[in-house]
Amino acid sequence: MKQLARFAISVREEDFVLHLEDDSGETMEFAASPEQLDAVIDALDDLLSENEEDLFEVEEEGQTYQKPLG
């Protein structure tokens, strides 16, 4: 499985372009409608919300989020 190394989002007249680069430098581009991009954002938000405590260290007072490396 390829590892995501970098991503970017470009705006076009009627849609967006997602640029996904893997750790070998290969880039793939995907056109996405605003509705599709919203669906991806909602899915990621739901997934992260369900697993927030497992994925991030959460400090109650400062609302600091840190992702462990390694």
Side-chain angles (χ1 to χ4, degrees), residues 52 57-66:
E52 183 174 39
E57 288 181 28
V58 179
E59 295 179 14
E60 291 295 322
E61 291 182 20
Q63 290 296 325
T64 302
Y65 300 96
Q66 296 180 342

Side-chain angles (χ1 to χ4, degrees), residues 20-66:
L20 305 177
E21 182 178 324
D22 68 16
D23 53 358
S24 71
E26 181 180 351
T27 301
M28 297 184 73
E29 296 181 337
F30 298 89
S33 69
E35 295 80 13
Q36 289 172 318
L37 200 53
D38 278 341
V40 170
I41 291 167
D42 289 344
L44 289 171
D45 187 47
D46 290 346
L47 180 65
L48 290 173
S49 294
E50 291 172 9
N51 298 293
E52 183 174 39
E53 290 181 13
D54 295 335
L55 295 172
F56 298 97
E57 288 181 28
V58 179
E59 295 179 14
E60 291 295 322
E61 291 182 20
Q63 290 296 325
T64 302
Y65 300 96
Q66 296 180 342

